Amino acid sequence: MPVPVPQQRSVPAAETSHGDLTLLVIEDDPAGTTITVPELSAAAGTRVRIRTARNLTEAARLLTDDVDCILLDLALPLTGGGSGPGTPSVDAGTSGTGTGTAASGSLPEPVSERAGELAALTHVLGIAPQHAVLALTAQDDTELAAEAVRVGAQDYLFRGELDARVLSRAIRYAVERKRADTAQHQLTESRLRAQENARLERGLLPTPLLDGSGLSFAARYRPGRSRALLGGDFYDVVRTPDGTVHAMIGDVCGHGPDEAALGVELRIAWRALTLAGLCGDELLSTLQQVLEHERQSEEIFATLCTVDIAPDGRRAGLCLAGHPAPLLARRGQPARLLPYQDGGPALGLLPRARWPRRQVELGGAWSLMMYTDGLIEGRVGTGCSERLGQDGMVAMINNRLEQGLAGEELLEAAVAEVRERHGGELTDDVAVLLLGRDPERIRRWGGSAPRSHPASSVAGRPLGVQRPPL
C-alpha cells in the first residue's frame, strides 16, 4: 500500500470527475486487502490512490475532500488499536441510522436489530456524509451486507470475491450512486424551500380592506426576480372608520430579497400609520424614518404615491414622493395623468423633506390607476432603446378603454401589451392597481359593496376583502 498522499483541491466527493480516484480503506488488518495499486489502476482504467486506516481515529485524520470512496470492514472493532484521545465513542445500542443516511435524502430508519454490528458504519456515515461508502463483509453474511446498504452504504462487497476488477467497478458505482443521491436530495430540498418561500411570500401580499366603500378594486403584481412572488414594489388599500379610502403604491430601488423585505416593512408600516389616523406629509415623514432605520445602505431609497379618497368618492388628496403620477379616467373622457408638479423627493434622499398634499377632483364616475415605473420603463420593440414612458402608457390605456375593457381585464391587457412591446419578460418589478367608482353600481348594491369572493371574482365588480391574483 502507498503512503497517504497530501490533500488535493477541496472538492466534494460527489462532484469528482471520471479522472483519478482516491480510496480510503478502513480495516484493522493491514494484510486484509491484498489488492495493489497497479492492479486496481489497471482494472479501473485510471490512476487509483489508496489510503489505509486501522481504526476510526486514523480514518478521521485521512478523510479529506479528495477522497472519492471509503471501503469499510464491518468487522472493524470500534476501539481497537487506536484508542485514546479522539477515539470515537459509539453506543452499540443506538439506531443504525447515521448522518450519511440523512444526507442522501432518505427518511430516518427504525432501529436495526443488528445495530451493534453496524456501529462502525454508522459512525463513518456520520463523519463522511458526502462520501460514497462500500461495506466489506464476510462471504456468508448476506443479511448483514444488505442491512449495511439499508442503513446508508452505497454497496457491499464480500471479502472472498474481492479482486481488482470487482473493486474498481464497485468504486465507480458507489461514487455515481452517491452523486445521484446527493443531487436528488438537493433537488428535493430546493423544491421544499421554493414551496415554503412561495407560502411565505403569498402570505405577505396585501389583503385590501374595502368593505363598505362601494369602490371596485383590481391589481396585478409581477416581480422582476426569477421564481419569486415578491419584489421591491408594494401597494395597499384600506378604508378607515370615517369612510375615507386610502391607497398607496411604492417602489424600493433594487430587485433582490432585501428590497422585497423592505417593501413589506414599509407597506405594513403604512397600513398601521394610516389606521392610526396619519395622512399626507406626517405619514410620509414617519415612513421615511422607518426606511432610514431598516435599510441596509444609505443609498437605498423608495418612491411612493398615496391617495386618500373622500367618503363621498368625488375628491381625493394626492401625495407624491418621487413616484409617477396616477392615471385618472372619467366616464366619457380620455384618461389623463394627475398633476405631479408639486411632488416631493423619494423617501430616504433628504433628511427633512416635505411632501405637500394636493387636492384632486375625481367626479362622479371614474377609474384611478396607480402603478410603478416597471410598467412604463419597458422597451418599445426588440433592440429599441426607446422606452414606453408615461405618454405611451396613457395612449395604450386609452386604446384599451375604447375597446370597452375595465377592471381586471384592463390591467391584464395592459401588462400583457407592455411585455409584448418589450419583446419578452420585463426585468423590473411591476405593480399596478385600479380603483373605480360607478354610482349606478353603488345604488344597485344599496350604497356599499358586497363581501368579496376569491380572486376569481368577476372583473369590475365592487370588491371587498380579497387577495389579488398574481
Side-chain angles (χ1 to χ4, degrees), residues 190 192-203 227 229:
S190 177
L192 291 175
R193 191 179 302 113
Q195 293 173 1
E196 291 174 358
N197 290 341
R199 286 193 294 269
L200 174 62
E201 293 180 0
R202 193 173 288 113
R227 297 184 298 276
L229 293 179

Side-chain angles (χ1 to χ4, degrees), residues 23-108:
L23 175 68
L24 175 60
V25 180
I26 309 176
E27 63 173 347
D28 60 345
D29 182 6
T33 303
T34 58
I35 301 172
T36 63
V37 171
E39 291 175 339
L40 189 56
S41 297
T46 186
R47 180 188 176 191
V48 178
R49 293 166 294 192
I50 299 179
R51 303 179 189 176
T52 58
R54 299 188 181 186
N55 52 62
L56 296 178
T57 303
E58 288 185 13
R61 289 199 301 264
L62 297 176
L63 184 62
T64 54
D65 290 334
D66 62 320
V67 170
D68 299 288
C69 187
I70 299 172
L71 178 61
L72 172 66
D73 184 2
L74 295 183
L76 179 75
L78 293 182
T79 58
S83 61
T87 300
S89 175
V90 183
D91 184 0
T94 59
S95 170
T97 305
T99 306
T101 303
S104 64
S106 58
L107 296 175

Side-chain angles (χ1 to χ4, degrees), residues 424-457:
E425 200 64 51
L426 299 171
T427 57
D428 197 4
D429 304 327
V430 176
V432 54
L433 62 89
L434 188 67
L435 290 169
R437 183 177 187 270
D438 185 344
E440 295 181 3
R441 186 173 285 114
I442 294 175
R443 285 193 296 270
R444 186 185 312 156
W445 290 106
S448 63
R451 291 198 62 84
S452 69
H453 300 286
S456 59
S457 299

